[in-house]
Amino acid sequence: MMMDYNFERIAEAIRYIESNRKRQPSLEDVARHVCLSPFHFQRMFTAWAGISPKRFLEYLNVEYAKRILAQSRLSLLTAANEVGLSSTSRLHDLFVHIEGMTPGEYRSGGASLRLHYVLAHSPFGQTIIASTAKGISYIAFADKGKEEAVATLQRAFPLATLSEQADEHNSRAAGVFRLDWGNVGEVRLHLRGTNFQIKVWESLVRVPAGRLTTYSQLAQAVGSPKAVRAVGSAVAGNPVALLIPCHRVIRSTGGFGNYHWRPERKAAIIGWEAAHCGAKEE
């Protein structure tokens, strides 16, 4: 629970910094806002991010985002023509395989599905992870607690049978979020979506941690350069937080844009990944 508590303070710090960017608040200002001494805030933040708050903020500015976009463009387009789906970095090596549900599996609200779910901690707050016998079907942040998280899962699959139970798939995903990549290997996703949505999600998992892309670049990668709006809808409909990294899609201007699970969380994930992955590869 301490991990979640610390993240909420970090998220509040990011929100405060963003809303006061013009006056560039000092470390003391930010620490005071989250009710910590500067020493304890710096220590907590560094333990979470691996770098100082000042260095972390360098990864959240427009100039940095534009530079990473330029570096990422070629690799994404190249990856779209490769066989297999992988998202790799020096931090971890994770192979993500996506399988679409059959019409029978998701017809009538998933009446034929049995979903096992667990609550798991991540560096960005508590998550709920649900899986079928074939793979992960749903991951969301459980900001409002377990009861609401389970109710939201049930609304996503209204006729599915839910059972709080660890299994091979949700345990593996939970290991990723605990930063325990030693024996992760392949993570399998079993997703409900149109062929176009799944194609977009497959392209998304090719964007390495620490890198960024845009809706336009994604549209080119899936072979539909004019379908930017449809790509945006597919990104917004991502049912699997973090493993399908919709947080790595930003505006072509370098602005981070919106995020289903709170914009300050998107900034936190992007900065955290840059600190742990991208920045070390530059």
Side-chain angles (χ1 to χ4, degrees):
M1 186 61 69
M2 181 60 70
M3 182 186 293
D4 295 339
Y5 180 65
N6 283 348
F7 173 72
E8 286 304 321
R9 282 189 160 173
I10 288 162
E12 180 57 34
I14 291 173
R15 186 162 48 241
Y16 176 76
I17 292 165
E18 288 293 322
S19 62
N20 293 276
R21 185 175 289 275
K22 287 186 178 180
R23 70 177 183 87
Q24 296 185 324
S26 66
L27 174 67
E28 289 74 15
D29 292 333
V30 181
R32 187 181 308 113
H33 181 75
V34 297
C35 302
L36 289 173
S37 70
F39 171 79
H40 284 97
F41 174 68
Q42 174 109 351
R43 187 172 67 174
M44 179 196 72
F45 196 101
T46 303
W48 175 79
I51 56 175
S52 70
K54 181 177 180 180
R55 177 65 172 152
F56 183 88
L57 290 177
E58 294 176 6
Y59 300 136
L60 303 187
N61 63 50
V62 171
E63 290 73 21
Y64 177 82
K66 285 183 176 179
R67 178 157 58 87
I68 295 301
L69 283 176
Q71 293 173 354
S72 300
R73 182 176 183 276
L74 182 61
S75 61
L76 179 62
L77 291 173
T78 301
N81 297 317
E82 294 178 351
V83 177
L85 307 175
S86 69
S87 175
T88 59
S89 73
R90 292 179 185 174
L91 179 63
H92 65 94
D93 197 349
L94 179 65
F95 188 86
V96 178
H97 175 81
I98 295 177
E99 177 181 343
M101 291 184 183
T102 66
E105 287 172 322
Y106 68 74
R107 188 182 294 122
S108 303
S112 65
L113 293 176
R114 184 176 187 85
L115 291 171
H116 294 164
Y117 71 87
V118 294
L119 277 290
H121 297 292
S122 82
F124 317 107
Q126 190 175 54
T127 64
I128 182 169
I129 308 171
S131 54
T132 69
K134 295 182 179 180
I136 302 296
S137 295
Y138 178 91
I139 300 177
F141 290 99
D143 293 332
K144 296 182 179 179
K146 177 180 177 179
E147 184 176 342
E148 178 58 29
V150 174
T152 303
L153 169 62
Q154 187 73 80
R155 287 193 291 269
F157 297 91
L159 297 181
T161 301
L162 304 186
S163 175
E164 185 173 8
Q165 180 179 336
D167 62 23
E168 173 190 0
H169 300 296
N170 58 39
S171 295
R172 186 168 292 162
V176 174
F177 300 156
R178 289 194 304 270
L179 314 185
D180 176 15
W181 289 296
N183 298 301
V184 170
E186 181 181 66
V187 173
R188 302 186 70 83
L189 307 183
H190 186 211
L191 303 180
R192 177 179 59 183
T194 66
N195 290 338
F196 183 79
Q197 286 177 315
I198 290 175
K199 193 174 183 179
V200 171
W201 299 336
E202 286 175 343
S203 288
L204 266 177
V205 301
R206 295 186 179 106
V207 181
R211 300 298 174 181
L212 301 169
T213 190
T214 67
Y215 299 102
S216 178
Q217 289 177 5
L218 270 180
Q220 293 181 54
V222 300
S224 302
K226 295 183 179 181
V228 176
R229 182 171 295 182
V231 165
S233 295
V235 171
N238 170 27
V240 177
L242 295 175
L243 291 184
I244 297 178
C246 57
H247 57 272
R248 295 175 195 156
V249 185
I250 68 171
R251 296 170 178 163
S252 57
T253 59
F256 287 174
N258 295 323
Y259 187 56
H260 178 71
W261 293 288
R262 298 159 45 190
E264 64 271 17
R265 177 175 274 125
K266 182 175 185 175
I269 299 171
I270 289 173
W272 189 93
E273 288 188 347
H276 286 77
C277 304
K280 292 179 175 60
E281 295 178 357
E282 292 176 13

